[in-house]
Amino acid sequence: DYLQDNAVLVTEYFQNGNSTGIHAFGENAQELIDSYNPDLYLTKKKQALIKKLDEIHAVKLDMMTGGATQQEVDTYLIKRAAALAVLNNTATEYDLSVLQPEATANGITLTQLAAIIIQKANAYYTGIGQLAAWRAENKHRINAVETFDQLNVLSSEYIT
C-alpha cells in the first residue's frame, strides 16, 4: 500500500507471487497508476503538452484576427476574392455587392477598400503559414522526446 500526498491510495495486488495489477482510488488516481508505467506516463504527458500547444496556437490565431468572430473570419475568402476581382477589373455584380456597401460606409472608394482587404489578407495568410510551421515544428519536438527531463525542458517553454 502507498499513500500519496493527494490522498490517493495505491495498492498492487499479488496472486501466487505475480502482480495482478495496480489499483488506485481517489483524486488523480489514474495519473498515479499511469506513473507506474513510465512509457504510458510519458506518452500521456506528451499528449497533454500537445494539447497545451494547440491551445496556444488557437490563441495566436485569435490574436491574428484581432479577436474577430468566426463569422467574420468566414468572410475573409469571399472578400479577398471580390477585392481581387475589383483590382483586376473583373468584378461581377456579386463582388460589388460584397464590397460597395462597406466602402461607402467607410467613406472610401471601392479600389481603396479592395487594396486594404488584399493587404490584410496577405498578411493574415502569411501569418497562418508561419503559425502552422511553428505548431508542426513544436509537435515534432514534443513527439521526439524520450525522457521526462527532455519533456520538462519543453514544458517550461509552453507555460504562459
Side-chain angles (χ1 to χ4, degrees):
D1 291 354
Y2 178 79
L3 189 59
Q4 183 71 7
D5 289 343
N6 58 4
V8 175
L9 179 65
V10 176
T11 304
E12 186 168 7
Y13 291 95
F14 290 89
Q15 186 174 38
N16 299 328
N18 296 317
S19 174
T20 60
I22 298 171
H23 303 277
F25 306 94
E27 188 178 343
N28 300 323
Q30 188 60 51
E31 183 175 355
L32 192 56
I33 289 172
D34 293 345
S35 70
Y36 279 80
N37 179 339
D39 291 336
L40 176 62
Y41 192 58
L42 183 62
T43 297
K44 286 191 173 194
K45 289 295 185 182
K46 286 164 62 171
Q47 290 169 345
L49 190 54
I50 288 172
K51 182 178 178 185
K52 176 69 175 172
L53 178 71
D54 289 343
E55 290 169 1
I56 294 168
H57 179 260
V59 168
K60 288 180 181 244
L61 279 173
D62 186 56
M63 290 170 55
M64 285 175 44
T65 67
T69 65
Q70 184 59 52
Q71 292 81 2
E72 175 68 17
V73 172
D74 290 346
T75 69
Y76 288 3
L77 286 174
I78 295 166
K79 289 173 77 172
R80 182 179 182 272
L84 284 172
V86 166
L87 294 177
N88 290 323
N89 294 318
T90 59
T92 66
E93 66 181 279
Y94 299 108
D95 295 321
L96 297 176
S97 72
V98 169
L99 300 181
Q100 188 63 63
E102 185 176 351
T104 301
N106 284 303
I108 60 176
T109 68
L110 192 58
T111 303
Q112 288 171 322
L113 177 62
I116 291 168
I117 289 170
I118 295 302
Q119 179 185 11
K120 287 183 176 184
N122 289 345
Y124 179 64
Y125 294 155
T126 299
I128 288 172
Q130 292 169 343
L131 192 53
W134 172 84
R135 182 173 175 249
E137 289 167 6
N138 283 286
K139 280 181 103 170
H140 291 303
R141 289 176 65 207
I142 293 166
N143 285 323
V145 163
E146 296 178 355
T147 68
F148 288 103
D149 288 340
Q150 292 171 338
L151 189 65
N152 288 335
V153 169
L154 282 181
S155 293
S156 67
E157 294 180 24
Y158 304 113
I159 304 297
T160 57

